[in-house]
Amino acid sequence: MRQRRGATLKDVAEQVGVSRMTVSAVLSGGSGNIRVSQATRERVLDAARKLRYRPNALARSLRSRTTNVIGVYSGYHYFEPRNSFFAQLLGGLQEGCVEYRKDLLLHSVFRGDTAEDIHTALMDGRIDGLIMFAPAHDPLVEPLATSHLPVVAVADPVSALTSVTVDDAGSARPVLEYLAARGHRRLVYRSVDRVLISVERRHAAFREEAGRMGLTMEEWCATDRVTDDSWFEGWLARPTHERPTAVVCWNDVAAYDVLDRCAHIGIRVPEALAVTGFDDIPNPVASRFRLTTVRAPWAEVGRTAVRLLVEQIDGAEVPGETVLPVELVLGDTA
Amino acid sequence: MRQRRGATLKDVAEQVGVSRMTVSAVLSGGSGNIRVSQATRERVLDAARKLRYRPNALARSLRSRTTNVIGVYSGYHYFEPRNSFFAQLLGGLQEGCVEYRKDLLLHSVFRGDTAEDIHTALMDGRIDGLIMFAPAHDPLVEPLATSHLPVVAVADPVSALTSVTVDDAGSARPVLEYLAARGHRRLVYRSVDRVLISVERRHAAFREEAGRMGLTMEEWCATDRVTDDSWFEGWLARPTHERPTAVVCWNDVAAYDVLDRCAHIGIRVPEALAVTGFDDIPNPVASRFRLTTVRAPWAEVGRTAVRLLVEQIDGAEVPGETVLPVELVLGDTA
DNA sequence: GTGAAAGCGCTAACAG
DNA sequence: CTGTTAGCGCTTTCAC
């Protein structure tokens, strides 16, 4: 079904007996240098109201080459609903859009689309700039970096693009100092099998900082949810004085997974094993216990990304990477 | 910054030495009745590739009155991140969009916008149809119902519009039968102070069904998170044989809140007090305990809404309200 | 099979 | 202060 047509500028102009330009100037603020007398202005506004005139954004954008729409491209196809990380990021993007009077276009990626197809779709004139949420090796990074579309990458840094991230590396220091102060000397870092710069940064920082502090740090790489207790059985089988006493997890979902396993097997947290996370995802089971974790300000990442994108669209120079601070949140698990 | 211009149809046409129409027909499928020889077709495709031609969606939409974009309007300003309900709905909308080759435009509501402003923004030609997520009394319902823009309401039914909802009323029967079978005779329904038809439907169905089954049902209306234990103190102060033995909550967030309070005060669940919810929101603390609740298929609501909207855009007749079934999920709390 | 003409609804640029 | 001209890039319609 085609959309019905309503009144156009021409209709209003004819009704009032002025030119389309005059009407345009009155109704859209005009391009600055055009002035309309108070009398005509009111007659125009009246007629517009009477005719229920609604400006056509498509025509306006085609002409002005400005849409006031910000695109969002996600390189991740699945959405893990337990991880509210993306929901918070999106919430921040929406807040930023409200502030700068932009709308958000969530680009769908269709089955069978090549990188070239997606790139073409992103460059089709409907958006003024793009928020990119994708790994640094995403096939769209290169074409986007060489296009003239303003782009801001979020969560994971992309070297060729303006990026907004959280201080992944900065999380190591406070967590390890806290754990060390509580007497922990042997730790294990639970990482994940995913090649993301943010994940790598967290991991490397912990490794380095642990070395500097003289702490032993073992490695444990596992998928989001482990399906058996073999790691825990191995841990239990070791002499008490050789066991790591704390598990530092790369994110909260992994930390909650460890907690679940501990409860299941009967390992007391934090007495026998301390557990920490990263993200600080909101937990519906709030006051039962709180995870000791690192709060990453994902909503603020979203807001900042919109701000930088708007500045870039307006022709300003923006920093290559903006890193937002994180914060240790003390809970009951470490 | 204005967008850079790339190659247009005209450039390709001149390069090949044919008319713009021929190029358009080759590159956009054409309006059916135009046929192009294999030879020209290939020359056109070659030239397009060489010139890095990218069609301008704005111009195309302006002319064809079709955008392949679906708008999303939310009448709720805040987003409760603990409640993944909206995230799941949005996920379903995205899945539907992938299936029907649409993109999603999230309309921002700017400070100071009147209903008329918002309505104008929604009617500006950028979308083919709208998904509306708002209470039935939202000020935009009436203008949208009388406009010619296809609209589908989700989650809460809107009488004048095509709606996709879950079987709010149908949740009462299985929950109450289950509780009755476990010996519960005195219940309390925890509702919320929010005028939503879905909330009303749930509440009314429970009241009615409880009456039919001869169960006593008390009322407890509270905000999402209670801030004191007065309800529980009142409950504890009553003689054991007069206390309700189960709390039926209008949604999962309220149920988790009750569970938190019980843990805090030391009321055993489900022995002393059973607790049920509604929604089945994913819980990061999965295997520690599972909430007994009613699963509402929010993602499917999203997918269905997109399907019905597309059918409506294509001129088909669609049902007034589509009600998707819910399902009792047995957990550890009742 | 292909092309020419005629806009979609709006605004930039310049003239009066 | 207001109007005219000339498109933005594409597709519809109809002619050849």
Side-chain angles (χ1 to χ4, degrees):
Chain A
M1 188 174 76
R2 299 293 167 71
Q3 278 175 44
R4 251 180 84 87
R5 61 205 267 178
T8 74
L9 266 193
K10 194 180 162 208
D11 301 323
V12 180
E14 283 171 358
Q15 172 89 1
V16 181
V18 293
S19 81
R20 277 153 25 184
M21 259 328 291
T22 309
V23 179
S24 174
V26 171
L27 297 174
S28 322
S31 47
N33 61 344
I34 219 156
R35 239 174 290 280
V36 181
S37 72
Q38 195 58 28
T40 9
R41 157 166 271 111
E42 280 177 9
R43 283 167 58 223
V44 167
L45 287 170
D46 263 15
R49 212 169 300 123
K50 210 163 292 163
L51 295 173
R52 322 200 95 248
Y53 168 74
R54 301 185 185 287
N56 182 312
L58 257 22
R60 177 179 299 190
S61 295
L62 177 59
R63 187 68 241 230
S64 66
R65 295 174 175 284
T66 281
T67 62
N68 288 319
V69 176
I70 288 178
V72 177
Y73 164 72
S74 167
Y76 305 98
H77 291 248
Y78 62 97
F79 175 66
E80 159 64 276
R82 260 181 232 89
N83 196 345
S84 64
F85 151 72
F86 185 68
Q88 294 190 249
L89 188 59
L90 188 60
L93 292 175
Q94 291 191 277
E95 287 173 26
C97 281
V98 168
E99 177 154 3
Y100 291 100
R101 302 193 71 88
K102 307 290 175 201
D103 291 316
L104 223 44
L105 183 63
L106 302 186
H107 291 267
S108 303
V109 173
F110 307 122
R111 279 182 295 275
D113 273 5
T114 63
E116 172 66 16
D117 294 336
I118 302 170
H119 185 225
T120 297
L122 293 174
M123 303 293 294
D124 66 5
R126 290 180 301 174
I127 61 177
D128 289 340
L130 184 73
I131 301 287
M132 173 164 133
F133 171 52
H137 55 77
D138 191 280
L140 280 176
V141 168
E142 201 270 322
L144 286 174
T146 54
S147 300
H148 293 263
L149 185 73
V151 182
V152 172
V154 290
D156 253 86
V158 176
S159 57
L161 301 174
T162 303
S163 309
V164 182
T165 59
V166 298
D167 191 4
D168 294 293
S171 62
R173 203 48 189 276
V175 170
L176 291 181
E177 279 181 352
Y178 174 76
L179 289 175
R182 308 274 286 193
H184 295 277
R185 291 294 172 267
R186 292 179 307 286
L187 317 168
V188 55
Y189 188 82
R190 177 166 166 177
S191 184
V192 71
D193 176 22
R194 220 168 276 170
V195 274
L196 292 176
I197 292 177
S198 55
V199 173
E200 256 319 304
R201 282 182 174 175
R202 275 173 225 172
H203 195 164
F206 271 100
R207 215 157 16 201
E208 212 169 292
E209 191 69 24
R212 185 172 306 135
M213 294 174 65
L215 305 172
T216 307
M217 180 106 143
E218 302 180 4
E219 307 280 334
W220 175 23
C221 188
T223 51
D224 279 0
R225 304 242 145 188
V226 301
T227 52
D228 65 63
D229 292 330
S230 57
W231 185 85
F232 294 90
E233 283 157 7
W235 182 82
L236 283 168
R238 293 158 70 174
T240 315
H241 66 277
E242 286 184 9
R243 288 178 188 160
T245 57
V247 188
V248 176
C249 299
W250 80 281
N251 79 355
D252 283 357
V253 173
Y256 282 117
D257 182 52
V258 170
L259 292 174
D260 291 342
R261 287 288 154 185
C262 286
H264 187 238
I265 300 173
I267 299 172
R268 281 171 310 122
V269 174
E271 297 83 0
L273 194 63
V275 179
T276 70
F278 187 100
D279 276 345
D280 196 30
I281 59 177
N283 183 345
V285 201
S287 64
R288 199 156 241 218
F289 69 84
R290 286 166 312 130
L291 178 66
T292 297
T293 188
V294 174
R295 176 172 302 146
W298 293 119
E300 201 188 332
V301 168
R303 288 191 297 269
T304 306
V306 171
R307 177 171 61 74
L308 291 176
L309 185 56
V310 169
E311 289 175 7
Q312 214 176 317
I313 291 168
D314 291 343
E317 281 295 314
V318 295
E321 181 174 356
T322 300
V323 180
L324 300 181
V326 298
E327 178 193 4
L328 177 63
V329 180
L330 297 184
D332 312 309
T333 63
Chain B
M1 189 174 75
R2 299 294 166 70
Q3 277 174 45
R4 249 179 85 86
R5 58 206 269 177
T8 72
L9 265 194
K10 194 178 162 210
D11 301 322
V12 179
E14 284 170 357
Q15 172 89 0
V16 181
V18 294
S19 81
R20 274 144 50 191
M21 257 327 293
T22 310
V23 179
S24 174
V26 170
L27 296 174
S28 322
S31 48
N33 61 346
I34 218 156
R35 240 173 292 279
V36 181
S37 73
Q38 194 59 29
T40 6
R41 158 166 271 114
E42 281 178 9
R43 284 166 57 223
V44 166
L45 287 170
D46 263 15
R49 213 169 299 123
K50 212 162 294 164
L51 294 173
R52 323 201 94 249
Y53 167 75
R54 302 185 184 285
N56 182 311
L58 257 23
R60 178 180 297 191
S61 294
L62 177 60
R63 189 67 242 233
S64 66
R65 295 174 175 286
T66 278
T67 63
N68 288 317
V69 176
I70 287 178
V72 178
Y73 164 72
S74 167
Y76 304 98
H77 291 249
Y78 63 97
F79 175 65
E80 159 65 277
R82 262 179 229 91
N83 196 346
S84 64
F85 151 71
F86 185 69
Q88 295 190 248
L89 188 59
L90 188 60
L93 292 175
Q94 291 190 276
E95 288 174 26
C97 281
V98 168
E99 177 154 5
Y100 291 100
R101 302 192 70 87
K102 308 289 176 200
D103 291 316
L104 223 44
L105 184 63
L106 302 186
H107 292 268
S108 302
V109 172
F110 307 121
R111 279 182 295 275
D113 273 5
T114 64
E116 172 66 15
D117 294 334
I118 302 170
H119 184 225
T120 297
L122 293 174
M123 302 294 294
D124 66 5
R126 291 180 301 174
I127 60 177
D128 289 339
L130 185 74
I131 301 288
M132 173 166 136
F133 171 51
H137 55 78
D138 191 278
L140 279 176
V141 168
E142 200 269 323
L144 285 174
T146 54
S147 300
H148 293 264
L149 184 73
V151 182
V152 172
V154 289
D156 254 84
V158 176
S159 58
L161 302 173
T162 304
S163 309
V164 182
T165 59
V166 299
D167 191 4
D168 295 293
S171 61
R173 208 40 194 278
V175 170
L176 291 180
E177 279 180 352
Y178 174 76
L179 290 174
R182 307 274 287 195
H184 296 276
R185 292 294 170 266
R186 292 179 307 285
L187 316 169
V188 55
Y189 189 82
R190 176 166 167 179
S191 184
V192 70
D193 176 23
R194 219 168 277 171
V195 274
L196 292 177
I197 293 177
S198 55
V199 172
E200 257 318 303
R201 282 182 174 176
R202 275 174 224 171
H203 195 165
F206 271 101
R207 216 158 12 203
E208 211 169 294
E209 191 70 23
R212 185 173 304 133
M213 293 174 66
L215 304 173
T216 306
M217 179 106 144
E218 302 180 4
E219 308 279 334
W220 175 24
C221 188
T223 51
D224 279 0
R225 304 241 145 190
V226 301
T227 51
D228 65 63
D229 292 330
S230 57
W231 185 86
F232 294 90
E233 282 158 9
W235 181 83
L236 282 168
R238 292 159 69 174
T240 316
H241 66 277
E242 286 183 10
R243 289 179 188 160
T245 56
V247 188
V248 177
C249 298
W250 80 280
N251 79 354
D252 283 356
V253 173
Y256 282 116
D257 181 54
V258 170
L259 292 175
D260 291 341
R261 288 287 155 186
C262 286
H264 187 239
I265 301 174
I267 299 172
R268 281 171 310 122
V269 175
E271 297 83 359
L273 194 61
V275 178
T276 70
F278 188 99
D279 275 346
D280 196 29
I281 59 177
N283 183 344
V285 201
S287 64
R288 199 153 241 219
F289 69 84
R290 287 166 310 132
L291 178 66
T292 296
T293 189
V294 175
R295 175 172 303 145
W298 293 118
E300 201 188 333
V301 168
R303 289 191 296 269
T304 305
V306 171
R307 178 172 59 74
L308 291 176
L309 185 56
V310 169
E311 289 175 7
Q312 214 176 315
I313 291 167
D314 291 344
E317 281 295 313
V318 295
E321 181 173 357
T322 301
V323 180
L324 300 182
V326 298
E327 178 194 4
L328 177 63
V329 180
L330 297 183
D332 312 310
T333 63

Coordinates of all heavy atoms in Angstrom, one line a residue, chain B residues 16 90 207 211 266 317 325:
Chain B
V16 N 27.5 4.4 -20.0 CA 27.1 3.2 -20.9 C 26.5 3.7 -22.2 O 26.6 3.1 -23.2 CB 26.1 2.3 -20.2 CG1 25.7 1.2 -21.0 CG2 26.6 1.9 -18.8
L90 N 12.1 -6.1 21.5 CA 12.8 -5.5 20.4 C 13.6 -6.5 19.6 O 13.7 -6.4 18.4 CB 13.8 -4.5 21.0 CG 14.6 -3.6 20.1 CD1 13.6 -2.7 19.2 CD2 15.6 -2.7 20.8
R207 N -8.7 -12.8 39.8 CA -9.8 -12.6 40.8 C -11.0 -13.5 40.5 O -11.5 -14.2 41.3 CB -10.3 -11.1 40.7 CG -10.7 -10.5 42.0 CD -10.6 -9.0 42.0 NE -10.5 -8.4 40.7 CZ -10.0 -7.2 40.5 NH1 -9.6 -6.5 41.5 NH2 -9.9 -6.6 39.3
G211 N -12.3 -16.9 42.5 CA -13.7 -17.0 43.0 C -14.4 -18.3 42.5 O -14.9 -19.0 43.3
G266 N 13.7 -13.8 56.4 CA 13.8 -15.2 56.9 C 12.5 -16.0 56.7 O 12.2 -16.9 57.5
E317 N -6.1 -7.7 4.9 CA -6.9 -7.5 6.1 C -6.2 -8.3 7.2 O -5.8 -9.5 7.0 CB -8.3 -8.1 5.9 CG -9.2 -7.3 5.1 CD -9.6 -6.0 5.8 OE1 -9.9 -6.1 7.0 OE2 -9.5 -4.9 5.2
P325 N -0.3 -17.5 23.1 CA -0.5 -18.3 24.4 C 0.7 -18.1 25.3 O 1.8 -17.9 24.9 CB -0.6 -19.7 23.8 CG 0.1 -19.7 22.5 CD -0.1 -18.3 22.0

